Amino acid sequence: MAVSDSEISEIVTGLSAKPKQISPKYFYDERGSQLFDAITELPEYYLTNTELGIMRDNIDEIVSMVGKQASLIEFGSGSSLKTRVLLQHLSELAAYVPVDISDEHLHASAEAIRSEFPHIDTLPVVADFTKQFDLPTPMVMPVRNVVYFPGSTIGNFEHDLAMELLRVMHHEAGKNGALLIGVDLQKDPEIIEAAYNDSVGVTAEFNLNMLQHLNRDYGANFDVSEFEHSANYDSDIGRVVIELISRTDQTFEIGDNAFDIGDGEAILTEYSHKYTLDGFAAMAKAAGFAVRKVWMDADQLFSVQFLTRS
Ligand code: TRP
């Protein structure tokens, strides 16, 4: 993998900040992607299975709200089972447009989608979806654009960035556009904390792999055994704070940059925000969307929501 100077300077800037932080994008090297797939299959990690269940249980209504001849624009590469469930049932789609920053990942998953759904006009776009990007022109003129953003990935953005992202979605949806989004909900903190602290330790391995990734590909020299995984739910803010905690006073380097970290000091690796229905609706409204329909599981752990431009 090619390492760019801007990535190194991004990592160095984050580790020079207080508190120290590393962007969650460094979770996902090959090993990290495998570990994340394993997380989604853990019994404690309710998010993936619950969302998939909601999609399956309500697919007819979801399909009718999307409508005929829509262009489905997925923010993310579209490798999930949820996307496949949707594509299996959306028989009259004008186009399917997965958008992802990773060229390799995107084209591999677009090829897989094309071979499973040869009748769908699949038009992958390589772009950073946190900023406005140009949409391709499908063979069939779409009646409307529907942005699809599963997985409660919106929860991994802090409030202002989540707002900015919703505004990008609003722009890409265009006139008469809509948004179909998975949003994880606030609930009993024990359920949430268990999802990010599984009993077999896959989540810990996933979090710690970020340091291994930086060692392998970015010239870092973390002593990974001297860090530990931590995930705590802050119920006032409604977010899980995911960190790597130093077990001792130590020094690590990235290229020519040396950093000191104290015993018990944290490196922030990700936030995962959980919403109330009202809280999410208010944020969406500020970005120009109105919630038209909310589907949930029986225990109200997770929601799939359909919004239109208001
Ligand atoms: N997007 C996932 C989430 O917020 C990422 C995730 C799951 C994660 N488990 C994790 C990130 C553990 C860090 C550590 O649910």
Side-chain angles (χ1 to χ4, degrees), residues 189-230:
E190 274 185 41
I191 297 176
I192 298 177
E193 288 198 341
Y196 294 86
N197 292 283
D198 67 275
S199 51
V200 288
V202 179
T203 304
E205 218 184 313
F206 173 71
N207 198 8
L208 288 160
N209 176 67
M210 182 187 271
L211 302 182
Q212 250 134 17
H213 180 200
L214 297 190
N215 286 351
R216 280 191 292 261
D217 295 339
Y218 294 89
N221 69 345
F222 290 100
D223 181 348
V224 179
S225 66
E226 293 295 340
F227 287 86
E228 61 190 62
H229 164 72
S230 164

Side-chain angles (χ1 to χ4, degrees), residues 27-28 36 39 45 47 156 196 203 206 242 270 272:
F27 280 134
Y28 301 100
F36 187 70
I39 287 175
Y45 195 74
L47 288 82
N156 298 127
Y196 294 86
T203 304
F206 173 71
I242 299 151
E270 186 154 75
S272 190

Side-chain angles (χ1 to χ4, degrees), residues 18-46:
K18 271 187 187 157
K20 292 181 168 63
Q21 46 195 282
I22 306 173
S23 164
K25 76 181 191 203
Y26 298 100
F27 280 134
Y28 301 100
D29 63 347
E30 207 181 314
R31 175 90 187 118
S33 300
Q34 286 167 356
L35 287 165
F36 187 70
D37 286 346
I39 287 175
T40 66
E41 286 166 23
L42 293 166
E44 296 97 328
Y45 195 74
Y46 61 86

